Amino acid sequence: MRGTVVNNGTSVKLALVCAGAMAFAGCICADTAKIGVLVLDGVTDAPIPNVKVEGCFNMDYGWEAFKGSPGSNTAEATTDARGRCKLRGKTNVGAAAAGVSVAPPGYYSNFAGGGYDYKSKNVFGVWQPDNLVVTIRLQRVENPIPLFVKQVGDKRSHGGWRRTFPGKEPGEKIAYDMLVGDWLPPVGTGAVADVVFERLPRQSLGEAVTARGEKKEAYRETMSVTFPGADNGLVEVPVNRGHRLKIRQAPESGYLPRRETWYEVDKNWNEHKSYDENRCFCFRIRTKRNEKGEIVSAHYGKIYGDVFFSLQIQPERVVVAVPSMRYYLNQTPMDRNLEWNMVNLCNSQEWLSSPQP
């Protein structure tokens, strides 16, 4: 089957978050920070030479930022035969980080390798301690394969509205065929309900008072996500935020058939939601067992970036309108390998933002 080759994104500029207390807000005078880096093979812990490492030294420009500022200071260095290098740069908040955005052949990048917050400076104005080392373990490229990758819940309108649920009432269900990559009728032409989304009744959380002193209802809108059929379901998988390859293989067990995702406005009129962009899952669908109780057929996949929904504003309220998720499906039954080689077997040719293996 012909697939679509997707840019692997290894040339994407390093995106590091240097967290630090803004103790010197408004002051752009910066002092030197030093940070060491050790780059290792993620399997053997052997040092990796000739790796370009990028550093970020955080700056707080205070009110000057509103005029436009150059952002954080950056530095580059290359690891030696011991897998080591040193970075130095100026920071006025005592925060520095390092990562690998362009990996050497045979490895994946780790653009958020690690960092430190410094607490003091020596008599020469150098942030202390100045001998800290960030250890970055790079994942190996092992067995990448084509996968069926689909973004569910796009911006195309349905019936003139940005809504996938055909109606507006609680209790409405809509199903999705993950092998085909389409909704079941009446929204699409899918045939098998691999996952079912249901808009649940709104939950009242009592009376809320807005910033303008208006009295309104605090509420929670909830959508359930169900994988019908025995042994089907999804399981949350802990991941390293800095790794490009977040999930290499689906687990054999632990799959749960149902999950709820929600959005709420509390009594102080503050918004909260269950969505976490760093949350990832594996799922199993179309599971079959033989007379001995052994699984003999199933399809495995993963979801990067949580399962959530978009809302539609209606008079005096909002409703769950569009389920959303990005899933990666191995079309070969019983194959739990989910290492993607960036060749997409989905023939929709849709553009995927920030694709990851």
Side-chain angles (χ1 to χ4, degrees):
M1 182 181 297
R2 177 174 296 179
T4 303
V5 179
V6 182
N7 190 319
N8 64 14
T10 55
S11 62
V12 175
K13 187 176 180 181
L14 179 68
L16 295 174
V17 178
C18 303
M22 300 303 179
F24 304 100
C27 174
I28 59 175
C29 298
D31 290 294
T32 298
K34 300 178 182 179
I35 187 170
V37 180
L38 172 62
V39 181
L40 302 175
D41 182 292
V43 176
T44 66
D45 269 356
I48 307 177
N50 301 317
V51 178
K52 186 174 76 170
V53 178
E54 299 180 45
C56 167
F57 298 85
N58 204 18
M59 292 288 294
D60 175 26
Y61 292 91
W63 291 106
E64 293 295 320
F66 289 97
K67 301 178 183 179
S69 68
S72 299
N73 295 317
T74 60
E76 293 184 354
T78 302
T79 58
D80 58 20
R82 302 176 302 154
R84 296 180 178 272
C85 66
K86 294 182 179 181
L87 297 164
R88 61 188 296 158
K90 297 285 189 177
T91 170
N92 65 349
V93 295
V100 175
S101 62
V102 181
Y107 292 93
Y108 292 105
S109 61
N110 188 331
F111 50 83
Y116 294 102
D117 291 332
Y118 302 90
K119 303 303 181 184
S120 61
K121 288 178 276 190
N122 64 16
V123 294
F124 302 104
V126 178
W127 288 99
Q128 296 297 303
D130 61 1
N131 60 349
L132 298 174
V133 176
V134 170
T135 300
I136 303 175
R137 289 177 170 82
L138 297 184
Q139 300 166 289
R140 290 183 179 182
V141 177
E142 295 183 358
N143 184 30
I145 60 173
L147 296 175
F148 185 97
V149 185
K150 182 77 173 182
Q151 180 68 47
V152 179
D154 57 25
K155 296 182 179 180
R156 292 175 293 181
S157 63
H158 298 278
W161 295 91
R162 189 179 182 272
R163 182 175 65 240
T164 303
F165 283 99
K168 304 178 183 179
E169 299 304 318
E172 183 180 14
K173 297 181 181 180
I174 184 170
Y176 195 85
D177 187 324
M178 302 185 83
L179 261 68
V180 172
D182 198 6
W183 300 99
L184 269 65
V187 179
T189 59
V192 178
D194 293 311
V195 57
V196 177
F197 303 93
E198 180 179 1
R199 180 196 288 134
L200 301 181
R202 169 178 286 201
Q203 179 183 356
S204 176
L205 303 179
E207 186 178 76
V209 179
T210 70
R212 297 180 179 180
E214 301 173 303
K215 293 183 178 180
K216 294 189 175 183
E217 179 194 32
Y219 63 89
R220 173 178 285 193
E221 288 284 346
T222 306
M223 181 185 73
S224 68
V225 184
T226 303
F227 287 75
D231 302 306
N232 297 325
L234 76 171
V235 55
E236 185 171 351
V237 179
V239 297
N240 186 313
R241 294 177 58 181
H243 287 168
R244 278 188 53 77
L245 177 62
K246 299 186 181 302
I247 299 176
R248 188 187 299 274
Q249 187 178 60
E252 292 183 316
S253 60
Y255 297 91
L256 301 176
R258 189 177 185 274
R259 182 180 180 87
E260 289 187 357
T261 181
W262 51 267
Y263 164 89
E264 75 174 29
V265 178
D266 66 19
K267 293 183 178 181
N268 296 314
W269 210 244
N270 296 316
E271 297 181 350
H272 307 278
K273 54 187 176 181
S274 63
Y275 173 75
D276 181 353
E277 66 178 2
N278 297 303
R279 183 178 289 131
C280 297
F281 300 95
C282 282
F283 62 86
R284 183 168 64 198
I285 59 175
R286 308 195 186 189
T287 308
K288 296 180 181 179
R289 292 182 181 268
N290 60 19
E291 62 279 1
K292 297 180 181 179
E294 302 167 328
I295 294 178
V296 292
S297 182
H299 287 277
Y300 294 89
K302 61 184 177 181
I303 296 172
Y304 281 176
D306 213 342
V307 181
F308 200 57
F309 52 81
S310 297
L311 296 166
Q312 183 184 68
I313 300 176
Q314 295 183 352
E316 299 301 322
R317 67 175 298 176
V318 298
V319 297
V320 176
V322 184
S324 62
M325 64 179 178
R326 176 178 294 182
Y327 71 93
Y328 302 68
L329 175 68
N330 189 327
Q331 293 183 319
T332 302
M334 299 300 289
D335 187 357
R336 295 186 292 115
N337 181 18
L338 297 175
E339 184 177 358
W340 188 34
N341 68 356
M342 314 303 282
V343 175
N344 193 354
L345 298 177
C346 176
N347 291 322
S348 67
Q349 305 295 316
E350 65 183 10
W351 179 72
L352 296 173
S353 63
S354 304
Q356 290 182 275

